[in-house]
Amino acid sequence: EAAAGASVEIVVDETPFYAESGGQVGDRGAMESDGAFAEISDTQRPSGALVVHAGRVARGTLRVGDAVRLAVDAEARAATVRNHSGTHLLHAALRQVLGPQAMQKGSLVAPDRLRFDFTHDAPLSDEQIERIEDLVNSWIEANDSGRTRQMAYKDALTAGAMALFGEKYGDEVRVVSFGGVSTELCGGTHAKATGDIGLLKVLGESGIASGVRRIEALTGLGALAHMRAQEKKLRRVSELLKVPAEQAGERIEKLLDERKAAEKQIAELKRASVSGGSGEPARPRDVNGVSVMVTRVEGFDASDLRGLVDDRKALIKSGVVLVASADGGKVTLALGVTPDLKDRFKAGDLVREISAVVGGKGGGRPDFAQGGGPDAGKLDAAIERLYALIGGAAA
């Protein structure tokens, strides 16, 4: 026996509950005796025909030998039915759009979603996904009747039923068909007609292994809820942009262009302010015949420093340029070498050495490299290290 609060696994003579199989999750629901009530959260088939109901005794005491009444969660079962029949139509549409090589490699059918893995060697385009959705929803609209038959395995294959490669089948199999669109071997629960599915909406697709893609979708009320959520997000975007929803895309593009222009202007102003004397004056230092220009700035990010290095390389014509930006105790370094000196000095090697002084790392190409570290207090030592490296190489 098991009293209230106990987690249980229950076996009964016969059951309306579907045990997890073929990608379809197990049913949930309730089990009640004269003296107890149990909530069933999952149904499994661990061996052969044995069906096990997993759950929790909510009240009373459940005993071996009790007569029980079983009730499947009707709403969850109906949603699962829509998703499973939708999966069959999705498989048929994939084969029509992509070709017969799009074979099932796995699936998940649950009340809240469906997932379908299939063989294909390239990502699906937006146009292909739309064609797949259109095909499935046209079949749903046609409301073709579903048909379930028990047949000999060989007869099922002769009738055009699709069998999964590597799957084991008995001498007699269950064949599920929808009109002339889909015929598959399947033991799951299905809609009486395609119209029961209501709607299918693809959420997206991705690659999960070499030559295997995964597509995820929703059906029925789940698909409707998803589309309403997307509409709500779009309405929020249009409210923030203060334009009608149909103009949101154009408005965002305009804002991104404006931001890009503003960022470019800010970068130019920063560079101009440094050139105009804001920050330490950048005067080349002669190190054994090599011009070395070091400039210190504040509040510049790595992308800004690249422009400053290019400006100074053009200014000195021949030499090595270092721009250092200190911010919050950290230092960012950008180093450039003019073309005539690339054979003697490698920017990547130099910035790696001086980045180590400030506790960090760096690297890059022979003509330009970036680095930095967390210890801006050692920036002076890093600059002296640069002079020493160039002086030693120049000598």
Side-chain angles (χ1 to χ4, degrees):
E1 64 180 41
S7 294
V8 289
E9 291 183 334
I10 307 168
V11 178
V12 295
D13 282 345
E14 54 185 356
T15 178
F17 281 64
Y18 180 85
E20 180 175 336
S21 179
Q24 180 174 330
V25 300
D27 276 331
R28 58 190 190 224
M31 183 180 297
E32 188 174 15
S33 69
D34 288 341
F37 179 84
E39 298 166 342
I40 305 303
S41 57
D42 191 17
T43 309
Q44 294 288 324
R45 191 188 300 270
S47 177
L50 181 67
V51 175
V52 176
H53 308 77
R56 184 183 70 89
V57 179
R59 64 174 183 269
T61 299
L62 197 62
R63 296 178 173 85
V64 171
D66 283 352
V68 291
R69 294 172 293 280
L70 298 99
V72 173
D73 183 328
E75 185 176 336
R77 165 70 77 83
T80 303
V81 161
R82 289 191 292 268
N83 282 335
H84 203 157
S85 297
T87 300
H88 281 217
L89 297 189
L90 179 63
H91 189 190
L94 282 165
R95 289 171 62 80
Q96 279 205 28
V97 173
L98 305 178
Q101 82 284 351
M103 296 293 293
Q104 180 175 345
K105 297 296 287 184
S107 67
L108 171 68
V109 179
D112 60 334
R113 69 193 190 284
L114 68 88
R115 187 180 72 209
F116 189 79
D117 301 339
F118 59 99
T119 51
H120 193 58
D121 57 4
L124 272 61
S125 67
D126 291 343
E127 181 184 0
Q128 286 174 321
I129 291 175
E130 287 181 3
R131 287 170 59 196
I132 290 164
E133 284 184 333
D134 288 346
L135 270 175
V136 173
N137 285 296
S138 69
W139 296 332
I140 290 172
E141 191 176 67
N143 199 29
D144 288 327
S145 296
R147 184 184 181 192
T148 302
R149 293 169 287 170
Q150 296 291 136
M151 302 175 64
Y153 178 66
K154 291 183 178 179
D155 291 341
L157 296 183
T158 302
M162 291 186 59
L164 300 183
F165 178 76
E167 191 81 8
K168 293 182 179 180
Y169 297 99
D171 293 334
E172 190 173 78
V173 292
R174 186 167 179 263
V175 180
V176 177
S177 303
F178 290 102
V181 172
S182 171
T183 301
E184 296 192 29
L185 304 184
C186 183
T189 57
H190 282 280
K192 293 180 180 179
T194 58
D196 296 346
I197 300 168
L199 171 71
L200 183 137
K201 177 62 183 173
V202 173
L203 299 182
E205 69 92 33
S206 59
I208 60 169
S210 178
V212 181
R213 309 294 299 177
R214 169 171 291 172
I215 195 164
E216 298 182 75
L218 298 171
T219 63
L221 297 177
L224 180 61
H226 169 74
M227 289 189 290
R228 282 178 174 166
Q230 297 301 103
E231 289 175 349
K232 186 175 181 180
K233 291 176 182 177
L234 179 57
R235 285 197 299 270
R236 179 57 179 157
V237 170
S238 66
E239 288 171 2
L240 292 172
L241 296 174
K242 295 181 172 56
V243 296
E246 59 270 18
Q247 297 177 16
E250 294 177 4
R251 179 62 178 145
I252 290 172
E253 288 180 353
K254 184 177 180 181
L255 287 173
L256 290 174
D257 288 341
E258 291 174 353
R259 176 177 174 175
K260 186 176 181 180
E263 289 175 344
K264 182 178 180 181
Q265 186 177 18
I266 290 169
E268 290 173 350
L269 290 171
K270 282 183 176 180
R271 289 162 63 183
S273 69
V274 173
S275 299
S278 176
E280 187 174 301
R283 294 177 179 272
R285 175 171 170 175
D286 185 283
V287 180
N288 285 347
V290 178
S291 291
V292 181
M293 178 179 280
V294 176
T295 304
R296 302 189 194 203
V297 296
E298 292 183 2
F300 281 66
D301 59 27
S303 59
D304 293 332
L305 298 186
R306 173 64 185 266
L308 292 176
V309 169
D310 290 342
D311 289 345
R312 279 146 183 73
K313 283 169 65 176
L315 181 66
I316 64 174
K317 308 298 183 186
S318 175
V320 176
V321 171
L322 172 66
V323 180
S325 176
D327 186 18
K330 299 180 180 180
V331 60
T332 303
L333 305 170
L335 190 145
V337 177
T338 55
D340 62 307
L341 298 178
K342 284 192 300 182
D343 292 338
R344 296 173 60 190
F345 306 104
K346 306 297 183 186
D349 295 341
L350 293 174
V351 86
R352 190 177 300 111
E353 290 280 347
I354 64 176
S355 292
V357 178
V358 293
K361 298 179 180 179
R365 305 191 310 270
D367 63 330
F368 179 78
Q370 290 181 293
D375 193 353
K378 293 183 179 179
L379 179 55
D380 287 340
I383 294 171
E384 290 303 319
R385 177 63 177 157
L386 175 63
Y387 290 144
L389 288 168
I390 293 174

